[in-house]
Amino acid sequence: MNTFIRNSVLGIAGLAFAGGVAAGPMTDTAHTSAPTVDTTAIAVAAVQADKPDMGKLVPHGVQGAQSRIDLSDEQVGNVKAIIAATKKAGMDERAAVVSIATALQESKLENLGHLGDRNDHDSQGLFQQRPSSGWGTVEQITDPEYSTTAFLKGLKQVDGWQDMPLTEAAQTVQVSAYPDHYAQWEQQAADLVAEHWNS
């Protein structure tokens, strides 16, 4: 009788132990699964890290009231062409901001041909460069890569352009009748460079 009770108790204890062992690891596995990763937050952080720093794009802050226009696909294509030409010329994001702001003022980023009576002399292209002033042929200055490279070549020759307000740097190259008008496009130009520099 004592032996029978002892064996029964041991049998029940063994079942309880086995059940505990079986339940233990299964419970632990459920609690030790890999933590949930927020891939959206990682993707957003990666995109933000990819964008140029706004302090580099607008080192002096914007001057005066800012203007902004909606851009067509063609205008965005010209933005990308200016950025590509800037990189090819070995110049940085700030040079792209100056270039895009200049083109926004001169042509609203439209690659303009001769406008007849509305033309400013023989000015054409994104930067309204003049063949008669030595900027190149009509075919050249209406090519976004060529016209940007020509503008940047002029910018490189301006001592200390990196430390100048944008409108002064642009005006030194362009010699416009309206030298202060470039400043109004600095924020949009910076936003465009931030968006497309690494795209």
Side-chain angles (χ1 to χ4, degrees):
M1 180 81 173
N2 285 343
T3 303
F4 176 76
I5 292 172
R6 188 167 68 84
N7 286 344
S8 296
V9 169
L10 288 174
I12 292 168
L15 285 173
F17 174 76
V21 169
M26 286 170 42
T27 303
D28 287 348
T29 302
H31 288 297
T32 58
S33 62
T36 304
V37 178
D38 186 352
T39 53
T40 304
I42 291 171
V44 168
V47 168
Q48 288 173 342
D50 254 2
K51 289 188 174 184
D53 178 61
M54 197 55 74
K56 185 174 183 180
L57 299 178
V58 188
H60 313 292
V62 297
Q63 295 179 320
Q66 295 295 294
S67 297
R68 185 172 289 270
I69 58 171
D70 292 330
L71 301 182
S72 67
D73 290 345
E74 181 183 349
Q75 289 165 305
V76 171
N78 288 330
V79 166
K80 292 178 179 180
I82 290 171
I83 289 172
T86 303
K87 288 180 176 182
K88 191 172 179 180
M91 297 183 78
D92 66 7
E93 297 95 323
R94 178 62 179 167
V97 172
V98 175
S99 300
I100 290 170
T102 301
L104 275 163
Q105 172 57 31
E106 296 291 353
S107 67
K108 302 299 182 281
L109 286 166
E110 293 178 3
N111 195 12
L112 301 174
H114 199 283
L115 301 176
D117 292 342
R118 295 180 298 130
N119 228 63
D120 177 17
H121 302 288
D122 54 343
S123 301
Q124 296 185 53
L126 292 173
F127 295 89
Q128 289 295 279
Q129 295 158 332
R130 297 177 60 189
S132 62
S133 296
W135 284 101
T137 66
V138 170
E139 291 75 18
Q140 288 173 323
I141 63 177
T142 53
D143 170 38
E145 181 180 347
Y146 178 92
S147 61
T148 302
T149 303
F151 174 80
L152 291 170
K153 184 177 178 183
L155 189 62
K156 280 182 183 178
Q157 295 172 1
V158 178
D159 287 336
W161 70 266
Q162 301 92 331
D163 301 317
M164 292 178 178
L166 180 144
T167 199
E168 185 179 339
Q171 170 62 8
T172 305
V173 178
Q174 294 293 102
V175 195
S176 168
Y178 306 100
D180 299 325
H181 287 193
Y182 301 107
Q184 67 184 312
W185 301 106
E186 186 163 9
Q187 188 61 61
Q188 183 167 16
D191 291 343
L192 288 166
V193 172
E195 182 178 354
H196 297 292
W197 184 261
N198 291 319
S199 65

